């Protein structure tokens, strides 16, 4: 998390601290909180203790670390239901995995990143692992590209201007014009690919999940180890992903 533009208001600072704690499920110290948030130590201490009193954060005295509290977990579960079609997404994703024998993932746009909200593990010994609640980059993942490609025109233009082009994998896109063209192609053909762009040895393909009114809600992806699946293999799975995305999108209310 960047320390620039530290919120001036108390609520904004408390939220920043809460987000940081949520991003460190194994705990974070007070000094780390203050450094990563840009909020002074004394203020961080006062605010994080207030979050502890509300059950949103838990203090582990043995390691002097702050961890996500049960109330935060409870709220996260409720938010997950709101973004997870009240339990209907996973069965559809499990059907996709049964057909592909590979991992199926779902993400939503969250600022200049995407947020993993659902994951179904593949049955094979070596596969792709993910964790709902984690963020991923937009420029080097198939779901990130799809979310940009099918976003509203002004949102897409802003993201293409602002997203950081960090190199993660051997084929990460680091040229903004190349990214623009890749996103344009994704919008044209209705799916996006990532070939060892986020992680070496990982390939993926993704399609959008559209609301009844045509707005993009999420991205649905199949991901697999490169040694087992060529990009052509994954592209053959696009019709299956589109069918699943259409089924999920039909259950969403319009905005």
């Amino acid at each position: 998390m960047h320390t620039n533009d530290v919120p001036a208001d108390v609520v904004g600072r408390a939220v920043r601290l809460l987000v940081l704690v949520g991003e460190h499920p194994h705990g974070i110290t007070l000094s780390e909180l203050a450094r990563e948030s840009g909020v002074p130590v004394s203020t961080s201490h006062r605010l994080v203790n207030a979050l502890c009193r509300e059950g949103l954060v838990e203090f582990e005295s043995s390691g002097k670390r702050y961890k996500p509290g049960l109330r935060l977990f409870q709220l996260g579960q409720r938010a997950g239901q709101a973004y997870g079609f009240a339990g209907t997404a996973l069965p559809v994703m499990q059907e996709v995995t049964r057909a592909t024998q590979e991992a199926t993932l779902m993400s939503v746009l969250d600022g200049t990143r995407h947020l993993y909200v659902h994951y179904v593990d593949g049955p094979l010994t070596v596969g792709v692992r993910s964790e709902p609640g984690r963020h991923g980059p937009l420029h080097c993942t198939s779901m990130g590209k799809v979310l940009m490609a099918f976003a509203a025109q002004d949102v897409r233009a802003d993201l293409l201007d602002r997203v950081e082009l960090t190199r993660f994998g051997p084929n990460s896109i680091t040229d903004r014009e190349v990214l623009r063209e890749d996103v344009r192609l994704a919008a044209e053909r209705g799916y996006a690919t990532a070939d060892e762009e986020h992680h070496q040895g990982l390939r993926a393909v993704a399609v959008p999940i559209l609301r009844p009114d045509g707005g993009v809600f999420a991205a649905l992806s199949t991901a697999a180890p490169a040694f087992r699946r060529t990009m052509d293999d994954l592209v053959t799975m696009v019709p299956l992903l589109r069918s699943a995305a259409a089924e999920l999108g039909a259950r969403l209310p319009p905005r």
Side-chain angles (χ1 to χ4, degrees):
M1 180 170 292
H2 301 294
T3 58
N4 58 329
D5 300 325
V6 179
D9 61 302
V10 172
V11 173
R13 293 186 172 197
V15 169
R16 174 166 287 195
L17 293 174
L18 183 60
V19 169
L20 267 174
V21 171
E23 291 178 346
H24 293 78
H26 301 295
I28 182 171
T29 66
L30 178 63
S31 59
E32 290 169 337
L33 266 177
R35 182 175 66 253
E36 293 191 32
S37 67
V39 178
V41 173
S42 58
T43 305
S44 293
H45 184 259
R46 176 169 55 83
L47 293 176
V48 79
N49 282 340
L51 294 172
C52 285
R53 289 194 298 272
E54 295 299 322
L56 294 166
V57 174
E58 177 184 322
F59 181 64
E60 187 183 74
S61 56
S62 59
K64 298 191 180 301
R65 304 178 77 82
Y66 292 94
K67 302 172 66 173
L70 285 177
R71 185 163 177 78
L72 186 59
F73 172 78
Q74 178 187 44
L75 293 173
Q77 290 294 101
R78 291 177 179 173
Q81 288 181 351
Y83 278 93
F85 316 96
T88 62
L90 284 176
V92 174
M93 294 173 66
Q94 287 163 352
E95 285 298 319
V96 173
T97 287
R98 272 191 281 273
T100 64
Q101 297 289 290
E102 302 292 356
T104 306
L105 306 91
M106 185 190 296
S107 276
V108 296
L109 185 64
D110 185 14
T112 57
R113 301 178 293 175
H114 68 90
L115 178 71
Y116 294 99
V117 292
H118 282 310
Y119 163 73
V120 175
D121 193 9
L124 303 178
T125 304
V126 179
V128 176
R129 300 289 180 265
S130 182
E131 184 179 340
R134 294 281 186 181
H135 284 96
L138 296 180
H139 70 293
C140 60
T141 60
S142 60
M143 289 195 290
K145 294 177 192 177
V146 156
L147 289 168
M148 286 193 288
F150 288 86
Q153 187 173 350
D154 57 336
V155 174
R156 180 172 65 248
D158 180 61
L159 289 171
L160 287 171
D161 283 341
R162 291 199 301 127
V163 67
E164 293 183 12
L165 304 184
T166 304
R167 181 176 294 281
F168 288 96
N171 297 330
S172 290
I173 295 175
T174 56
D175 183 294
R176 203 162 293 278
E177 291 308 311
V178 172
L179 178 62
R180 291 182 196 280
E181 177 62 14
D182 219 20
V183 170
R184 186 194 68 78
L185 283 174
E188 181 180 286
R189 62 194 181 189
Y191 69 88
T193 61
D195 187 358
E196 298 191 84
E197 296 176 40
H198 191 199
H199 295 290
Q200 185 169 6
L202 172 65
R203 292 182 173 129
V205 62
V207 302
I209 298 174
L210 301 176
R211 295 180 179 275
D213 62 7
V216 66
F217 172 77
L220 189 67
S221 170
T222 291
F227 75 84
R228 190 163 65 228
R229 298 286 189 179
T230 65
M231 278 311 318
D232 287 343
D233 288 337
L234 289 176
V235 170
T236 65
M237 299 174 187
V238 166
L240 178 67
L241 286 169
R242 281 179 173 156
S243 177
E247 181 178 352
L248 292 170
R251 304 182 187 190
L252 287 167
R255 294 192 176 194

